[in-house]
Amino acid sequence: MKKVYCIGEVLIDFVAERQGSDLTKANEFTKKAGGAPANVACAISKLGSNGVFIGCVGDDPFGKFLLDTLKNEGVDISLTQLSDTFTTLAFVSLSEDGERDFVFSRGADKELKYNPNLRKNLPGNILHLGAATALLGGPLEKTYAKYLFDGLTKEMFISFDPNFRIDLWKDDEETFIKKCMPFVEKSHLCKFSMEEAQLISGKEDLHEACDVLHKAGTKIITVTLGKDGTLLSMNGTKKVIPSVKVTPVDTTGAGDAFIGCLLYQISDLGNFEPIFEDFSLVENMVATANKAGAITTTNYGAIVALPTKEQLEN
Ligand code: ATP
């Protein structure tokens, strides 16, 4: 099996216990491991493949908690970096009217440095860039670009999830779009939510949106549509692959479970050629990834809820 290198942020989400209190009033918080690329690495390892996480945490108890969490899920953390800066923290609560109150205290995640020694390990494997905080600046943003532009695109399978977070880009969506475009251009596979596909392409209609995004460079596009399934677009064909019927309790992490499961299946292929040519092969993979997303919604939390191979097969 090929390795899947997931690069980007890992952080602590402190989630306020009771809905109805904004952050000025919230007193109790639950500590949860978060960060989309870290979740994706967990999804891959939980399914039995080689998820490798490359990110940076503070040399503090929160950083230790994050690394222990990833290790317990079987993720290879040998390439993570430690920083003197504190671990990145996010505080979230839902006010009475359901509005999110959000404070982001950015720390060590932005300090990730490019590792030139990796250059020799990456070819033939998969690189996943899940950019929730990576495009916000700091050394991490430069590191991201370096992995993407270090001549690797021909030698690796590259996957990109823009992970747009309105809380982080509220008044600066144009900059977000501009920063995403080189990644859409260089990646073989892009996973968007409906909102991301529309925002980045500037097109309301999803078929038109996919056409714009293909034109930018990416060959395979998946647009996840929650309970309505996933739109797959490649080689001039577009099709919505239906989701599995479940009773969801918490949709956190469904998108990460989806892309993790898709990359897990790609990591099992002898070579990457068939997925650029065979629509029905990718369609079947998306159907399985939809299952992983659906299972994740039936349990609380992100990492805990990710399915194992046995759960996926049953
Ligand atoms: P995230 O907020 O984690 O980034 P996302 O918006 O990228 O998520 P979703 O569309 O919510 O991703 O979910 C990913 C996949 O999980 C969907 O394409 C679908 O297959 C499955 N899924 C999500 N919600 C449900 C649901 N309510 N019922 C069945 N399947 C679901």
Side-chain angles (χ1 to χ4, degrees):
M1 268 189 173
K2 296 173 191 324
K3 289 192 176 185
V4 187
Y5 292 87
C6 303
I7 307 186
E9 90 278 9
V10 62
L11 52 86
I12 307 262
D13 277 318
F14 281 103
V15 184
E17 276 298 311
R18 268 190 300 279
Q19 179 169 354
S21 48
D22 60 29
L23 286 175
T24 57
K25 299 191 196 97
N27 290 321
E28 292 164 43
F29 295 85
T30 302
K31 179 181 72 176
K32 291 186 176 163
N39 289 346
V40 175
C42 287
I44 291 160
S45 293
K46 251 181 133 164
L47 287 168
S49 194
N50 302 312
V52 183
F53 177 68
I54 305 179
C56 185
V57 296
D59 190 5
D60 54 44
F62 290 136
K64 183 172 182 333
F65 163 73
L66 290 171
L67 294 185
D68 287 349
T69 305
L70 297 186
K71 205 171 162 191
N72 288 340
E73 298 299 346
V75 174
D76 177 347
I77 55 164
S78 59
L79 295 165
T80 48
Q81 295 171 18
L82 284 183
S83 163
D84 292 341
T85 316
F86 56 87
T87 297
T88 298
L89 310 174
F91 296 84
V92 195
S93 88
L94 284 181
S95 63
E96 250 150 38
D97 54 8
E99 283 295 305
R100 262 162 71 91
D101 207 5
F102 180 81
V103 167
F104 185 54
S105 179
R106 194 158 192 220
D109 86 274
K110 74 168 183 303
E111 302 298 334
L112 185 75
K113 307 279 187 307
Y114 180 69
N115 178 355
N117 297 332
L118 254 180
R119 185 67 184 77
K120 61 181 185 308
N121 299 352
L122 294 174
N125 291 300
I126 298 172
L127 184 68
H128 175 67
L129 301 161
T133 69
L135 305 179
L136 287 170
L140 174 61
E141 185 171 354
K142 291 198 182 77
T143 298
Y144 242 57
K146 197 120 175 51
Y147 279 115
L148 189 67
F149 291 102
D150 196 11
L152 288 166
T153 31
K154 287 196 185 70
E155 301 168 50
M156 296 191 78
F157 184 85
I158 301 189
S159 152
F160 175 62
D161 179 349
N163 275 310
F164 177 70
R165 299 282 179 260
I166 186 79
D167 298 308
L168 300 176
W169 292 96
K170 228 170 260 164
D171 300 313
D172 207 5
E173 293 178 3
E174 283 309 313
T175 306
F176 176 78
I177 296 166
K178 214 169 121 202
K179 288 187 174 193
C180 275
M181 284 323 281
F183 292 88
V184 176
E185 187 190 314
K186 292 272 183 186
S187 302
H188 302 108
L189 163 70
C190 285
K191 176 233 171 261
F192 301 102
S193 66
M194 185 171 77
E195 295 74 20
E196 287 163 350
Q198 290 169 329
L199 176 76
I200 297 169
S201 67
K203 300 284 182 193
E204 194 71 19
D205 177 85
L206 281 184
H207 283 215
E208 285 180 30
C210 288
D211 290 340
V212 169
L213 296 162
H214 281 307
K215 216 168 172 188
T218 187
K219 293 237 171 355
I220 306 170
I221 294 176
T222 59
V223 184
T224 52
L225 306 167
K227 66 174 176 26
D228 296 322
T230 304
L231 172 66
L232 169 65
S233 175
M234 60 180 272
N235 280 349
T237 306
K238 295 180 180 65
K239 184 173 177 184
V240 173
I241 324 294
S243 58
V244 182
K245 227 180 160 42
V246 288
T247 307
V249 295
D250 178 8
T251 60
T252 316
D256 299 331
F258 171 86
I259 188 67
C261 182
L262 193 53
L263 296 176
Y264 152 74
Q265 296 171 83
I266 295 171
S267 76
D268 208 13
L269 294 175
N271 67 76
F272 300 129
E273 294 307 315
I275 58 164
F276 295 110
E277 286 149 21
D278 188 345
F279 188 92
S280 61
L281 170 73
V282 185
E283 180 182 350
N284 285 332
M285 288 178 167
V286 169
T288 304
N290 278 352
K291 233 200 272 182
I295 294 171
T296 305
T297 70
T298 60
N299 218 329
Y300 289 97
I303 293 174
V304 188
L306 295 166
T308 60
K309 195 173 178 197
E310 288 69 36
Q311 287 169 320
L312 191 68
E313 284 169 354
N314 295 324

